[in-house]
Amino acid sequence: MTSAPEALLALSNVNTFYGQAQVHFDLSITVARGHIVCLLGGNASGKSTTMKIILGLVKPRSGEVTFDSASLIGLSTPQIVRRGIASVPEARRLFADMSVRENILMGAFVRNDRDAVAQDLDRMLTLFPKLGQRLAQRAGSLSGGEQQMVAMARALMSRPRMIVMDEPTMGLSPLYVDRVLELIRTINQDGVSVFMVEQNASLALEIAHEAYVLQTGKIVLSGPARALKDDPRIRDAYLGGSEAA
Amino acid sequence: MSSWFDYTINGLIIGNVYALVAVGLALIFGVSRLINFAQGSIYLVGAYIGWVAVMQLHTPLPLTIIVVAAAAALVGLVIERFGLRPLQNSVRIAPLLATIGISFVLDQLVMLTFSPNPRALPSQLPDVRFQLGGGTIGPLDLLIAGVGITSALLLFVFLRYSKLGWAVRAASQDRDAAMQMGVDVNRVNQAVFGIAAALGGVSGMLVGMYYNQIDTAMSLQATLKGVVAEVVGGAGNVPGAVIGSLLLGLVESYGVAVFGTSYRNLFAFLLLVVVLVLRPNGLFASTRQAPPEPLTGTFIAPSRPLRIPRWALAVAAAIFAVLPLFPVSFYVLQTLINAWLLGMLALSLTLVAGTMGQVSLGHAALLAIGAYTSALLSLTLNVPVGLAIVGGGLMSAALGTLLISPSFRLRGHYVSIATLAIGEIVSLVILNWESVTRGPIGISGIPPLTLFGYDLISPSSVYWFSLAVMVVLALLQGRLLTSHLGRSFRAIRDDDIAARAYGLSLNRYKSLAFIFGGFAAGVSGGIAAHLYSYINHETFNTQQSILALTVVILGGLGNVVGAIVGSVALVGLPEVFRIAAEYRILIYGIVLLLLVRFRPQGLLGTI
Ligand SMILES: Nc1ncnc2c1ncn2[C@@H]1O[C@H](COP(=O)(O)OP(=O)(O)OP(=O)(O)O)[C@@H](O)[C@H]1O
Ligand SMILES: [Mg+2]
């Protein structure tokens, strides 16, 4: 990696199992402070499990996970969230029967500064103007794209230092895909580091600083996004030609 | 003379009481997808704490309510912390079984402390009645309504405006996502168990005052009614639970008005079964899809079963077979006869619950069907006893399968609820169908066991007979498990969606499992009827269903040898240690709790 800036999140030599089945083999990933890092990989390669390891939803059998130089191993998910990691889970996972407003405010659950939270809610409405008219609506009744916006607003409400996102563009129309990528870039420019999982490599590499390619639990390729974009190996090994950008 | 107005008021008041129980169940189900079978026990504890407060501490009514709520909440917190939290990463059935174990322990502790005799629980309210419309209403009615409405309001404010309330709502919609927002799920669980227990305890106290009587049988009834109301309203749906409760109260009250008191519960359980079959998500859910449940495969602890060599089994069988030839006491034989009878029931349950993954909580009903059939065949039609017992087995197989078949599309918890309800229905039909079953009087003078014209009077002959029947059933079941059929059963249990994709017809295989299991249980009930010579609608009760489940888990779910070992252990060990009868149920509860916590795969392992 080039002139490595300070690491905010680091996974080193992580091995993960579901019962007998090993999902990660000596996985090592670094997210530099202020960067967007993308994890690419096909179905069932272990991408979502990586997110769950970071969030403490799944415990690795061995290896180390550090955030801001402090270990996350052994912490519960709420404790990890309080350290400053917010998440946009796979398939968004909104609280379907709560209103959009309540969903966004749930993102600020770990905060106790009511006034600042109210201000942040307003800020979200300028960042995601479409949500303004939807605040009272049941979150479950929104379209997929709108739900993605709510999930991102919800994650930002905790004022995280890092956001982890699992396939934020999945199932969205091309228009929304562009919008989401643009928002990720905006969020990042405001100083939030981003670790995202994507299947759509060509799109992800557009905005990422670095990327890793995961294949059945092993990192097979990594480096600056710019370099990987033109790397023939990623085209062969992962894109399989179908995603010719 | 009671007017329709009175029946309506009565229905709404009882509905209010059910609501206090059902709302707690709904909160807990929402957050942890668990049907808390200990809810009725907390209700019982609430009633007795109320009694202590009123009769011994002489507290005024408002203070009594607060004392009961606080003490019950404390019990709820203890259950959550020590009974359930350690099971967070266990198989999905573990917490359910734990709540059953906890309810046994709590009920027995109350019974041992206060004796099983009913007590009066005066309400301390003036005994006046106001004329209203076409009927009357008393202060206690108003109190119950007031407590119900106040609790609903408090709960609404809590859920809507407090931070913990938001956490409860978020966790009940998506537990993982809530954790990712920083919600501490343990605190949420604590909160809902505390609230549920407080409401349940107050409810028990109010019911005690309403009927001016409390007794330890209240517990199971309360759990059952709460579960009915909750499922009718849609599991996990708090407002639904309130409406379901009021509906249940009204249905019962009008049912009593038309048909009489003994039909009250029958209506409740019929309502439950109808809702489970037609709208398993409750009356207010928009979809008719099966309720969310984990795949049944994760429901049972996977393990590597202990292989016992055939010769060892043969030796063990031989030792038990020659036992009566030695000078053993009548008492030992009697105990082992009980073990063999329980063993047959356990064989049945281990097939249905273990191999097939349908955790039945109403298995004693199969005993009852077999017992009544065999008794009536031999008494009224003079069918030879041996044949009558086979008839009992066949009737159990047929009727049991027929009764459960509408619920075949249910999974996990819902199977347990449906079987529990069907078990209650069977016992209530026996109670009410007097022309055939002789109703509450029961059947007496059932002829003793005979086989091919020979009376089996001596303990040894009864012993041999029941041992032989059990061994034959066990051998058949062993063959079944290694056959293609057994593999299909397990495939359905482990992943019913995949099994269906391979073209296995779930209904057909579930029927086959219940037919075989029903036969074994029916034969056991039939033999028991001729041994006891008297049976009534309470001879085979829920306690036996739970005892059988404990046996089956002790032996290892699905494990044929385990079912027999478990029966001998649970029937025999209390005798060996000369444990007094009133402590036995307590011990069964504790055994169940310890097993679930430390050895869910049982002694010999699940198959
Ligand atoms: N809770 C679980 N229990 C057992 N196995 C699991 C569990 N979750 C995931 N797996 C398995 O682990 C492997 C990796 O799953 P993971 O969800 O991490 O993949 P993924 O890369 O996110 O796939 P996708 O692109 O489909 O989202 C898969 O084979 C999956 O079946
Ligand atoms: Mg994934």
Side-chain angles (χ1 to χ4, degrees), chain A residues 47-48 90 166-167:
Chain A
K47 305 182 300 296
S48 297
E90 191 169 20
D166 198 341
E167 306 205 27

Side-chain angles (χ1 to χ4, degrees), chain B residues 262-263 265-266 269-270 372 399 403 421-440 537:
Chain B
S262 60
Y263 283 85
N265 294 341
L266 196 54
F269 297 120
L270 285 176
Y372 269 86
L399 202 56
L403 287 172
I422 292 169
E424 292 294 313
I425 289 174
V426 167
S427 136
L428 289 164
V429 168
I430 290 175
L431 175 65
N432 284 298
W433 195 9
E434 290 189 24
S435 57
V436 173
T437 64
R438 309 187 189 170
H537 69 285

